[in-house]
Amino acid sequence: QTLLARYTRALLLAGLDQGEVALREIDEVSSIESRVLGKAHPQLMLTKMLRARVLDDLGRSEEALAEIDELTTASKASLGKRR
């Protein structure tokens, strides 16, 4: 299975109110993306944004905000390297 297909499955599961299952899929996908694509890859950042959304949907707002803060830091670092 491709990472994109697995990401899409997680997105659909989240939309079907199966957040816990979606979160497990997201965690597996992001682990592979991090290892294969690198920690600053745009697709990994999209996966982490989806993770934050699912966490918030599950009522785990503090974890979602922590994920968003991490993404913000990573985005700033990545953009800084390009300028």
Side-chain angles (χ1 to χ4, degrees), residues 63-77:
E63 289 175 75
L65 288 172
E67 190 78 49
I68 291 166
D69 289 344
E70 229 178 87
L71 278 166
T72 301
T73 301
S75 294
K76 286 179 183 177

Side-chain angles (χ1 to χ4, degrees), residues 24-35:
R24 285 193 297 274
E25 186 75 17
I26 291 164
D27 287 344
E28 288 178 25
V29 169
S30 66
S31 175
I32 296 167
E33 287 175 341
S34 179
R35 195 173 62 249

